[in-house]
Each structure stands twice: as C-alpha cells, then as structure tokens.
Amino acid sequence: AYFTQGNFLTFDLPAPPPDPAPCDGVLHAGGRCGEDENHGLGKKPPGNIPASQALRRSSRLRANLELMGAQLHALRDAMAVARVLNRTLIVPQFDCLCDRSELHDVIPSCLYPGAPRSMRLPFKCSTGFILDTHKLQMLSAPTLFGMRKEKFGGAVTPPLPIRGHSFLHDPRTAVEIKQSVTSVVLPRGSTNVQVLEALHGFRRSRVLSLSDAAGSFAGWETELQQAFLFRTLMDYFVLGPSWCCSSRNKDEGRAYSKSPPPLRMG
C-alpha cells in the first residue's frame, strides 16, 4: 500500500542562493573559508563559541539560516495544501549552505573537516539538516505524541502522511503513480476554499506538483477546527528547528531559523 495506494502532493523548494563566501582553493574545511571579514571579533578562540558569535563570524551560516527559513515556509504551506486536499506529501530534498555538526570547528567554513576540496556550496542535504526528524515521524500518529483528543475537546488530529524525496524514483512505486504527475500553481495567498476550487479539476491526478509553494497558502476561511489542529501540529512537530552547533555547552550553540508568517484562521 505504501508504494501503490493514495494520492500525493509534492512541491518546489525555493532556489538556494550562491555561496556567499566561496573558497579560494587554498583555505577549506577547518580554515577561515566562509568567514565574514567584517565581523570585528578578532581571531576565533579554540573550543565553544555561542551561536550569536558564530552568526557574526560566518556569512555562510547566516545564509544557511535564511535558506532554512525559506524552505520551512514552503514546507509548511505545502503541508497545509496537502491537508486541505487530503493528499500525502512527498517532501523534496533540501539544500544547505552549512554542514550540521556537533564539532564546533565547523565554523566559520561551514564544512566538516575532511570535506573534499571539490565540494561546493550549496549542496543537497539530509532532511535532518533542516528538521527534527524524530518529530517529523510523529506526524504519522500525532494523537500518540501530545495531541490527545482530550486536549482538544474530543477533536481527533488525523495523521499527516509524508513520503521521502526519492519516492517517485523508487522502483517499488507504482508506475500508475509515476505517470500521473500534474504541475499546478496556486494564486498567492490562497485560502482552503480557494485551494479546493483551483485544484478541483486535477483531482484525478495521482500526483500534483506545486510550484512556488512558499506563500501559496494563507489559511482557512472555513473548517476552523481543522485550522486550529493543523496550526498546533506545526507548532508541535515542524516549526522551530535549529542549526547545530557552534558550542556543545547546553543550547548556546544552536541557531534558529525564522518561522513562516502565521496562517489565517477565519
């Protein structure tokens, strides 16, 4: 059933910017490559530094957080559209401008020491670079992970099923799904009612591919209980991810991406 049943929605992520501080071929991972020459902080001390200082030192890290926020906005809006359409979301592969590592020497280069000299930024990265994957898994059974119906007046939060970026290329995925992909565009700032109206004619397509997802969805004008449960679902399991880490001292080395604008509810 995982590879043969259901209707799906996938979406385009915002295009990543170019490397804001490309290497000169001499200094690479573990060196000063990627460092903002105007940070005014002096030589980087060995060991832990707080995220606030890491952001001043590394132009790549700042650009990465901006990219994380843009991709998170697109993901949140695509999840909302998938919820409205009752479709399973196929999450694309994300782009990154900074390695995720608990080795604090990753700053300022944003490359793990030992990375090949041929490596260029941005690069395709794991979902775990952008999201808390253990929380993402909880979307499959939110009532077992903090969203019990008793907390919401008896309202049951349905699962938000997802598939990985390789789903449409997996040999186990049904040919009928792979051959039924339709590209769609929504008017900017569509509501749940407008989404249903705009995409009604494509309801028989097994896969809808949404272009320019970030900002395509503005919120709900009806089904307000669904809106409230979706917003809570996002707050619990999707929004608020961080880049890690310029320090291993508690959470001082975590840098947080910007959350997308709140969705309309009514």
Side-chain angles (χ1 to χ4, degrees):
Y2 186 94
F3 293 101
T4 59
Q5 296 181 10
N7 293 322
F8 303 88
L9 175 77
T10 190
F11 63 101
D12 293 336
L13 287 167
D19 183 355
C23 295
D24 59 11
V26 178
L27 297 173
H28 200 53
R32 295 179 57 196
C33 185
E35 188 164 11
D36 187 338
E37 296 179 353
N38 300 311
H39 59 64
L41 295 171
K43 184 178 179 180
K44 179 177 178 286
N48 299 326
I49 60 171
S52 58
Q53 186 182 133
L55 286 165
R56 288 180 61 183
R57 287 186 177 278
S58 178
S59 53
R60 285 176 169 175
L61 179 56
R62 294 198 302 270
N64 189 64
L65 281 188
E66 289 291 327
L67 179 59
M68 283 177 64
Q71 293 180 124
L72 189 64
H73 189 181
L75 174 67
R76 193 278 311 269
D77 287 3
M79 282 182 164
V81 173
R83 172 65 94 209
V84 170
L85 297 176
N86 193 28
R87 286 176 175 261
T88 295
L89 186 70
I90 303 172
V91 180
Q93 188 170 18
F94 293 102
D95 294 290
C96 288
L97 284 157
C98 194
D99 253 333
R100 182 181 177 93
S101 171
E102 292 188 5
L103 182 65
H104 42 64
D105 288 340
V106 76
I107 295 299
S109 70
C110 272
L111 291 171
Y112 197 85
R117 290 185 177 273
S118 59
M119 185 170 177
R120 295 291 179 266
L121 280 70
F123 58 92
K124 293 295 180 183
C125 55
S126 165
T127 301
F129 278 46
I130 308 296
L131 301 167
D132 295 322
T133 51
H134 69 287
K135 291 184 179 180
L136 204 62
Q137 292 172 329
M138 296 175 186
L139 293 173
S140 63
T143 58
L144 299 180
F145 298 100
M147 294 194 68
R148 300 185 306 275
K149 65 180 182 180
E150 293 80 8
K151 295 175 65 175
F152 304 101
V156 177
T157 305
L160 203 164
I162 59 175
R163 298 288 187 270
H165 68 88
S166 62
F167 179 74
L168 291 178
H169 305 286
D170 195 300
R172 294 168 293 182
T173 300
V175 174
E176 293 80 6
I177 294 174
K178 296 178 179 180
Q179 294 181 346
S180 182
V181 180
T182 303
S183 296
V184 295
V185 179
L186 284 171
R188 306 295 294 169
S190 293
T191 66
N192 64 315
V193 172
Q194 292 167 331
V195 167
L196 290 169
E197 291 175 350
L199 301 182
H200 178 74
F202 306 107
R203 63 192 182 280
R204 298 190 185 281
S205 179
R206 298 294 300 275
V207 183
L208 299 181
S209 180
L210 177 62
S211 299
D212 200 16
S216 63
F217 188 74
W220 280 259
E221 54 181 300
T222 61
E223 303 289 343
L224 299 189
Q225 185 179 78
Q226 182 189 73
F228 175 75
L229 292 175
F230 179 82
R231 184 180 70 179
T232 306
L233 193 75
M234 294 296 102
D235 289 342
Y236 277 27
F237 306 124
V238 177
L239 301 182
S242 64
W243 172 87
C244 179
C245 294
S246 62
S247 171
R248 301 186 69 178
N249 184 16
K250 296 185 178 180
D251 287 331
E252 75 168 6
R254 292 183 178 273
Y256 293 87
S257 63
K258 182 180 178 181
S259 292
L263 294 174
R264 167 183 171 182
M265 295 180 60

